[in-house]
Amino acid sequence: SSRVIEIQERLTERALELLNFPRDDVPRFLLDVGCGSGISTRRVLKRYSGICVACEGLDPSKEMIRVANAKNRDTRATYTVGNIENCDEMYKKDTFDCVVTVYTLRNFADSQLAIWQMMRVLKPGGKLVVVDAFPPKIRLAKMILKFWLEYIMPIVALIFIREKKDRKAYKYLSKSIQNAKYTPETFV
């Protein structure tokens, strides 16, 4: 699990470079959609320590919000149970300077509605940052990915991951990538 988190943090950090918030006193508001345990939210706050950035994490799982709150030590972060697809009551139009979603897009019941809602709550000129993985289109690449996810990753998980529950995350990741209903082109 720590290796998965490390990889997620590195990819998230690269994506967060796109935000490029200036170091000034202007308040910035960020929404982390599908925040889970708050990893991405904490990365934003660490990257932008010392400037006026407030983050709200949104996740449909009460348990994940509980974990995010338990791990959070920064008063600039809040966590809310909710679903971006049904957020009309929660967030007004043009609320956030940035919306981030990390490895969640393929899990939404209606990803296009989720993207539309993310765009709705963005201020004009705001940034939407999506980090995710989708199955490749090329047949050979798809076969290699399937082999890697179904045969190699479980072995790696057995070797490096002690907790059985953490190994389940790899199985879920494999299935969610291979069964993704959308491709990146769906949203372009």
Side-chain angles (χ1 to χ4, degrees):
S1 174
S2 62
R3 183 69 179 138
V4 171
I5 291 169
E6 181 184 325
I7 292 167
Q8 179 183 348
E9 285 181 341
R10 265 194 266 137
L11 290 171
T12 302
E13 186 64 31
R14 286 189 183 165
L16 294 177
E17 290 173 9
L18 298 172
L19 300 181
N20 200 22
F21 288 145
R23 299 205 171 265
D24 56 23
D25 293 334
V26 177
R28 306 268 176 349
F29 301 98
L30 181 135
L31 178 63
D32 182 3
V33 176
C35 67
S37 63
I39 292 170
S40 299
T41 307
R42 288 191 302 277
R43 296 300 290 188
V44 168
L45 294 174
K46 181 179 176 183
R47 180 175 183 80
Y48 294 106
S49 63
I51 68 170
C52 193
V53 173
C55 295
E56 175 152 354
L58 178 69
D59 199 279
S61 168
K62 289 179 184 175
E63 177 60 19
M64 294 309 321
I65 294 299
R66 186 194 65 71
V67 171
N69 278 314
K71 290 184 173 192
N72 178 46
R73 301 286 181 256
D74 196 316
T75 58
R76 299 176 297 158
T78 57
Y79 297 98
T80 304
V81 175
N83 185 326
I84 192 67
E85 295 158 296
N86 303 312
C87 72
D88 288 335
E89 302 288 320
M90 295 174 71
Y91 305 117
K92 294 178 182 167
K93 184 180 178 190
D94 305 336
T95 302
F96 296 97
D97 297 288
C98 180
V99 177
V100 175
T101 185
V102 179
Y103 300 113
T104 57
L105 191 60
R106 64 183 177 274
N107 299 319
F108 293 117
D110 186 340
S111 293
Q112 290 179 321
L113 175 60
I115 291 285
W116 185 86
Q117 286 284 29
M118 290 180 219
M119 295 299 292
R120 182 186 67 80
V121 300
L122 268 178
K123 291 178 181 176
K127 294 181 181 179
L128 173 61
V129 178
V130 177
V131 178
D132 217 319
F134 296 92
K137 288 182 180 181
I138 300 168
R139 185 177 165 91
L140 179 60
K142 196 179 268 191
M143 289 170 43
I144 292 169
L145 178 66
K146 182 176 179 155
F147 181 78
W148 173 260
L149 291 172
E150 290 185 8
Y151 299 103
I152 304 299
M153 284 299 290
I155 293 169
V156 170
L158 277 172
I159 294 169
F160 293 105
I161 304 204
R162 302 197 193 299
E163 297 282 330
K164 189 173 183 177
K165 64 178 177 134
D166 291 337
R167 288 193 297 253
K168 287 182 181 179
Y170 281 97
K171 287 183 182 179
Y172 172 76
L173 178 65
S174 170
K175 286 184 176 148
S176 71
I177 291 172
Q178 291 183 72
N179 297 328
K181 297 178 255 176
Y182 304 102
T183 65
E185 292 80 18
T186 305
F187 307 104
V188 178

